[in-house]
């Protein structure tokens, strides 16, 4: 199967037809493709990245004018097909020898593994041996179709977590966060992809060619037994979309049957592959265009890709994912940065309902703890107002963080006689607060985004709204967490005391006092 020319990507057309398409069909104008329809959320994100990588590597716009031209009108279907045909040799899924998509060029041996091991959330050998596969059962995937195998290989290579001695992590580090722009109002798939494609001049990619500088599987693997590292200047920047840290090679498909991943009948199922350690070792200041990074303010260390993390993604991350968070050093991905600074104004008003789709695994070394994904708004902020706007957002988030700290502390005081001595996970308190206050935060964000370039002070209405949200929800959550048990088990004296202390401390939090000043609230209103 050729991953550029053959039909293998599950998708939905505007007519409602669900079918598998070839990548060149994404520009079909007669019955446009509107969405990918993968069987797994990690495959869904991976297939988006695959198609963005294909467009970026084969038909990138030369400049912003050309980008906007194809945003308004997708390229002709036959023309796109002909462009893809020139690169088809690099996208064969299976080959007995020589190039095969994201697979070692000439690996004659290696450890044989079941196809399920391609899945990042599959239980490892020790987990199966110790019978600890309680939530993701081993042995449930014995055969997979070509479509799912291709998606699994790309998902593994682009997200590769640590995998033991010599099994390298992905170019962005293990389990990176990916942020993709998504135009609203149910647009065609072409626009969902094209909005994330950069101009050639932005990537400095140089000439496009079907060779190993872009597609590393087109030549013998640069193995890393002796620690050989691949730095950004060693290859074409486009290799960021096609990183190949893991050495693996599919073995011949077996008999036909039902795919254990998508449930579809397939004429050929893959059940095993071979793998070997010391694949390509990506090190240095790589900055993948679809991932946000944390930059060291002193430029003493390479940028670190942001990862999926415990507790999920929410508005506390909004600033670093869509603009820049000066406190943490988090910066939006290049695709988001480019959109904010060069493309937003070029869109029609009806096209400016753009959101940011964030997703990734929360990894604990080799173990996938959770898959997280979230959507958040993208706001156009004028350059004159941007610095002030960011300071306003920082104030809102900082106030929320300080309230959470007090909420967590006083809930523990209500639960235990000696809360400082009690260890354990209280992240569920934080998670409930972030979730309960999220919609209000985005409401205030929308109000801030409407301010004119002359605004230099936070609008009183925003400060008032946020103060009310933080006070009301934090007290309600305190009651929920402390009064939800059996009445006979509750120490009401301890709970009442902790509640009184918590309400008193809310008025003393520095960030809350700052909001009170901005909200122009009188002393009588605070006491009330």
């Amino acid at each position: 199967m050729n991953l550029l020319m053959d039909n293998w990507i599950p998708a939905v057309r505007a007519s409602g037809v669900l079918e598998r398409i070839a990548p060149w069909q994404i520009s079909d104008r007669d019955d446009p493709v509107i969405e990918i329809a993968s069987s797994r959320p990690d495959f869904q994100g991976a297939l988006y990245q695959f198609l963005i990588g294909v467009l970026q590597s084969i038909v990138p716009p030369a400049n912003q004018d050309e980008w906007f031209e194809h945003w308004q009108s997708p390229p002709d279907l036959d023309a796109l097909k002909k462009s893809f045909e020139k690169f088809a040799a690099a996208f064969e899924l299976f080959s007995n020898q020589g190039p095969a998509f994201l697979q070692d060029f000439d690996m004659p041996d290696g450890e044989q593994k079941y196809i399920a091991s391609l899945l990042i959330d599959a239980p490892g050998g020790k987990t199966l041996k110790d019978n600890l596969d309680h939530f993701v059962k081993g042995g449930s995937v014995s055969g997979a179709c070509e479509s799912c195998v291709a998606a699994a290989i790309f998902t593994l290579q682009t997200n590769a977590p640590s995998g033991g001695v010599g099994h390298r992590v992905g170019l962005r580090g293990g389990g990176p966060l990916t942020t993709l722009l998504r135009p609203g109002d149910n647009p065609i798939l072409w626009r969902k992809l094209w909005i994330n494609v950069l101009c050639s001049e932005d990537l400095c990619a140089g000439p496009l060619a079907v060779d190993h500088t872009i597609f590393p599987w087109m030549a013998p693997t640069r193995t890393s037994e002796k620690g050989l590292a691949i730095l950004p200047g060693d290859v074409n920047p486009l290799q960021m979309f096609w990183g190949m840290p893991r050495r693996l090679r599919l073995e011949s498909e077996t008999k036909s049957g039902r795919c254990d991943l998508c449930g579809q009948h397939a004429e050929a199922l893959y059940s095993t592959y071979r793998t070997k350690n010391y694949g390509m070792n990506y090190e240095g200041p790589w900055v993948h265009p679809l991932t946000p990074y944390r930059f060291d303010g002193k430029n003493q260390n390479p940028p670190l890709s942001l990862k999926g993390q415990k507790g999920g993604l929410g508005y506390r991350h909004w600033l670093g994912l869509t603009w820049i968070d000066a406190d943490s050093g988090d910066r939006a991905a290049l695709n988001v940065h480019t959109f904010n600074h060069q493309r937003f104004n070029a869109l029609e008003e009806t096209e400016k309902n753009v959101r940011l789709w964030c997703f990734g695994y929360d990894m604990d070394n080799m173990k996938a703890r959770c898959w997280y994904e979230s959507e958040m708004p993208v706001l156009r902020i004028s350059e004159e107002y941007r610095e002030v706007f960011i300071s306003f957002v920082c104030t809102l988030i900082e106030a929320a963080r300080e309230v959470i700290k007090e909420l967590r502390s006083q809930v523990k005081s209500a639960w235990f006689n000696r809360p400082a001595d009690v260890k354990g996970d209280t992240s569920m308190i934080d998670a409930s607060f972030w979730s309960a206050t999220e919609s209000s935060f985005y409401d205030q964000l929308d109000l801030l985004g409407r301010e004119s370039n002359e605004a230099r002070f936070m609008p009183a209405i925003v400060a008032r709204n946020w103060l009310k949200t933080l006070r009301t929800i934090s007290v309600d959550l305190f009651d929920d967490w402390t009064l939800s048990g059996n009445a006979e088990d509750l120490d009401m004296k301890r709970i009442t005391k902790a509640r009184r202390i918590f309400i008193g401390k809310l008025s003393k939090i520095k960030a809350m006092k700052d909001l009170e000043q901005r909200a122009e609230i009188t002393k009588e209103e605070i006491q009330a």
Side-chain angles (χ1 to χ4, degrees):
M1 182 177 75
N2 189 279
L3 302 184
L4 284 186
M5 309 314 300
D6 295 333
N7 295 17
W8 68 280
I9 298 176
V12 180
R13 292 186 178 272
S15 63
V17 173
L18 176 64
E19 63 181 6
R20 290 182 175 178
I21 65 166
W24 54 269
Q25 293 176 311
I26 57 176
S27 68
D28 192 346
R29 301 176 189 177
D30 295 333
D31 188 8
V33 179
I34 60 172
E35 187 56 281
I36 295 172
S38 182
S39 58
R40 289 169 54 101
D42 56 346
F43 286 7
Q44 184 82 359
L47 290 175
Y48 261 88
Q49 292 179 79
F50 171 85
L51 289 173
I52 291 169
V54 166
L55 294 174
Q56 191 73 71
S57 303
I58 300 177
V59 289
N63 49 50
Q64 293 301 332
D65 289 339
E66 186 176 328
W67 178 88
F68 188 69
E69 178 185 339
H70 287 316
W71 168 261
Q72 293 291 82
S73 179
D76 177 76
L77 196 64
D78 290 336
L80 193 64
K81 183 178 181 181
K82 289 179 180 177
S83 296
F84 284 11
E85 283 176 344
K86 299 174 184 177
F87 287 74
F91 286 84
E92 289 294 334
L93 176 64
F94 179 81
S95 174
N96 286 318
Q97 58 182 355
F101 179 69
L102 281 176
Q103 297 166 61
D104 192 277
F105 184 82
D106 53 3
M107 189 171 71
D109 52 6
E111 177 187 3
Q112 187 184 67
K113 288 197 171 186
Y114 291 115
I115 207 71
S117 295
L118 289 174
L119 306 176
I120 291 177
D121 60 346
K126 188 175 187 305
T127 300
L128 294 172
K129 181 179 179 181
D130 296 341
N131 197 30
L132 296 176
D133 53 332
H134 304 303
F135 302 106
V136 181
K137 288 292 184 182
S140 59
V141 179
S142 58
C145 66
E146 292 177 310
S147 173
C148 289
V149 166
I153 290 176
F154 185 83
T155 303
L156 175 62
Q157 296 284 27
T158 199
N159 296 290
S162 59
V165 176
H167 290 280
R168 304 302 184 186
V169 300
L171 181 145
R172 294 177 273 180
L177 196 61
T178 301
T179 55
L180 301 182
L181 295 158
R182 289 177 67 87
D185 305 322
N186 196 29
I188 59 175
L189 179 62
W190 170 265
R191 281 195 167 186
K192 294 177 182 177
L193 301 171
W194 194 247
I195 197 171
N196 294 286
V197 175
L198 302 173
C199 299
S200 296
E201 59 189 13
D202 294 327
L203 278 180
C204 303
L208 305 179
V210 186
D211 65 25
H212 68 280
T213 64
I214 299 176
F215 310 112
W217 58 91
M218 299 301 290
T221 303
R222 294 179 61 180
T223 57
S224 55
E225 292 92 341
K226 298 180 180 180
L228 176 66
I230 299 175
L231 303 176
D234 295 339
V235 296
N236 190 304
L238 288 170
Q239 191 169 137
M240 289 188 287
F241 293 92
W242 310 107
M244 196 178 76
R246 297 294 181 87
R247 298 184 69 186
L248 60 91
R249 190 85 188 191
L250 285 174
E251 296 192 307
S252 297
E253 67 271 18
T254 57
K255 60 183 180 181
S256 64
R258 185 180 67 85
C259 173
D260 290 325
L261 288 173
C262 68
Q264 300 295 312
H265 177 80
E267 291 301 320
L269 296 174
Y270 288 92
S271 58
T272 59
Y273 70 99
R274 288 176 288 114
T275 186
K276 208 170 181 181
N277 56 1
Y278 297 109
M280 301 180 75
N281 183 25
Y282 296 96
E283 290 186 359
W286 290 96
V287 180
H288 193 285
L290 305 180
T291 288
Y293 282 78
R294 177 165 296 170
F295 288 81
D296 177 6
K298 299 179 181 179
N299 293 321
Q300 295 178 342
N301 299 300
L304 296 174
S305 62
L306 299 189
K307 309 291 197 299
Q309 54 191 278
K310 191 176 182 180
L313 301 166
Y315 72 83
R316 63 194 183 279
H317 306 110
W318 182 86
L319 204 52
L321 297 181
T322 60
W323 288 96
I324 179 172
D325 187 334
D327 290 338
S328 64
D330 295 352
R331 296 185 192 177
L334 183 57
N335 61 329
V336 180
H337 175 87
T338 300
F339 177 77
N340 285 337
H341 290 82
Q342 300 181 36
R343 295 177 176 173
F344 198 104
N345 287 339
L347 303 185
E348 301 292 337
E349 286 300 322
T350 56
E351 301 172 340
K352 291 184 178 180
N353 179 23
V354 176
R355 297 183 66 80
L356 192 67
W357 176 29
C358 318
F359 55 85
Y361 274 106
D362 169 24
M363 301 298 304
D364 179 12
N365 291 322
M366 291 181 283
K367 181 172 64 177
R369 291 186 294 206
C370 190
W371 169 264
Y372 287 115
E373 60 180 286
S374 177
E375 282 199 12
M376 51 188 67
V378 176
L379 301 182
R380 169 60 182 163
I381 308 299
S382 65
E383 186 174 352
E384 296 84 355
Y385 178 47
R386 194 171 302 152
E387 184 176 345
V388 177
F389 170 82
I390 289 175
S391 73
F392 291 165
V393 176
C394 287
T395 298
L396 300 183
I397 295 175
E398 180 58 26
R401 285 185 174 133
E402 291 191 23
V403 169
I404 280 182
K405 188 187 302 182
E406 287 298 336
L407 174 63
R408 189 191 317 120
S409 174
Q410 295 309 318
V411 167
K412 287 184 68 176
S413 294
W415 282 346
F416 308 109
N417 278 321
R418 300 177 63 181
D421 297 337
V422 178
K423 308 299 180 184
D425 184 11
T426 58
S427 61
M428 65 283 190
I429 299 174
D430 297 34
S432 66
F433 179 88
W434 290 120
S435 176
T437 55
E438 185 169 55
S439 63
S440 178
F441 173 82
Y442 287 129
D443 287 342
Q444 309 324 308
L445 205 63
D446 186 53
L447 288 174
L448 289 175
R450 296 177 191 173
E451 284 301 302
S452 70
N453 297 341
E454 306 302 320
R456 287 296 176 267
F457 300 98
M458 179 183 289
I461 184 63
V462 171
R464 282 175 173 263
N465 289 346
W466 194 233
L467 275 171
K468 182 179 179 181
T469 294
L470 296 182
R471 286 174 176 155
T472 302
I473 289 181
S474 64
V475 173
D476 287 348
L477 287 175
F478 177 92
D479 293 340
D480 288 344
W481 284 110
T482 59
L483 299 175
S484 58
N486 295 324
E488 60 272 18
D489 297 330
L490 302 178
D491 187 330
M492 292 307 300
K493 182 178 179 181
R494 193 169 64 213
I495 292 172
T496 303
K497 179 182 178 182
R499 191 178 194 273
R500 183 174 64 253
I501 292 173
F502 176 57
I503 292 175
K505 286 193 172 185
L506 281 178
S507 299
K508 298 178 181 179
I509 292 175
K510 183 180 180 299
M512 296 289 277
K513 287 183 176 181
D514 186 19
L515 284 175
E516 288 167 3
Q517 292 178 351
R518 296 170 186 258
E520 302 171 0
I521 294 178
T522 66
K523 189 173 183 180
E524 290 73 20
E525 286 180 295
I526 295 173
Q527 292 175 343

